[in-house]
Amino acid sequence: TRKLLFVKESDAVALFPGGYGTMDEVFELLTLMQTGKATIIPVVLMETGPKPYWRIWERWAAGTLAERKLTDPHDAAFYRIVDTVDDAVAEITGFYRVFHSARIVGEKLVFRLVHPLGDADLAEIQRRFEDILKGPAEPSPGPGGQELDEFPELPRLILPFNRTSHSRLRQLIDYVNTLPRR
């Protein structure tokens, strides 16, 4: 129950070096995001002390899991390894710089945004992420049709996401967070 709530109710997760329970939590969280069963949130893996922990874990994950095609190389996009609290804070706040939240509405994925995107931004999103989009991404000034009236003041980005690569979706969120206010 604790782990379910840990994943379901969190807006970000910071994990510190630990034993089997920590490994269980990190793999559970990454698996749920990878398969689209959990909301994509920032996951920060905090290095502590002089000896690397998460970087060794990452070498194993990339060198064993991804190399053997048991995971996708893009899956590393789900987490960031950081060395300081300031880096962790920057990663978490940066995740929500433009992206606010997401909701599936019918066949579309709706991103709620802090500010609207420009036409050039939409075209670049379409170009960069055509592999995971089934059609054009569309802006909306607020909630539409079947969407609940949550955050009515926020503009939307409506994505025809093909639901095949959630790690690429994380990369799309990262890209959106680099875009300037228009």
Side-chain angles (χ1 to χ4, degrees):
T1 303
R2 184 186 74 79
K3 196 165 50 168
L4 172 66
L5 292 174
F6 166 71
V7 172
K8 185 178 181 302
E9 300 298 330
S10 297
D11 292 321
V13 173
L15 291 155
F16 293 80
Y20 292 137
T22 300
M23 290 295 112
D24 178 52
E25 289 170 347
V26 73
F27 280 119
E28 177 87 11
L29 180 58
L30 295 177
T31 299
L32 291 171
M33 289 193 304
Q34 177 197 47
T35 58
K37 305 287 189 256
T39 302
I40 296 173
I41 59 173
V43 176
V44 176
L45 306 177
M46 290 286 305
E47 289 285 25
T48 58
K51 189 171 181 180
Y53 179 89
W54 293 112
R55 286 180 177 87
I56 292 170
W57 172 86
E58 184 178 43
R59 278 198 309 265
W60 174 80
T64 302
L65 300 178
E67 183 180 283
R68 295 179 187 186
K69 301 192 184 335
L70 300 171
T71 60
D72 188 298
H74 295 296
D75 289 346
F78 286 125
Y79 61 86
R80 301 293 187 278
I81 298 173
V82 299
D83 295 304
T84 68
V85 172
D86 289 342
D87 291 343
V89 169
E91 174 59 33
I92 292 167
T93 57
F95 183 87
Y96 295 106
R97 194 181 84 67
V98 178
F99 174 82
H100 178 276
S101 55
R103 166 91 54 210
I104 295 173
V105 180
E107 292 296 311
K108 307 278 176 129
L109 178 63
V110 176
F111 279 5
R112 294 176 279 223
L113 306 173
V114 174
H115 61 76
L117 304 180
D119 292 339
D121 299 330
L122 292 172
E124 187 61 17
I125 287 170
Q126 198 68 44
R127 186 188 71 73
R128 285 181 185 230
F129 298 97
E130 67 183 348
D131 61 312
I132 62 168
L133 298 176
K134 298 188 295 186
E138 302 170 5
S140 175
Q146 302 171 354
E147 187 179 359
L148 298 175
D149 200 28
E150 296 174 317
F151 308 106
E153 72 284 3
L154 296 178
R156 272 46 174 179
L157 175 61
I158 301 167
L159 300 165
F161 177 50
N162 66 13
R163 299 185 190 181
T164 59
S165 177
H166 291 83
S167 56
R168 287 282 290 142
L169 186 64
R170 168 61 201 254
Q171 291 175 332
L172 195 159
I173 292 169
D174 291 342
Y175 178 73
V176 165
N177 283 320
T178 68
L179 298 174
R181 182 178 286 277
R182 303 267 183 228

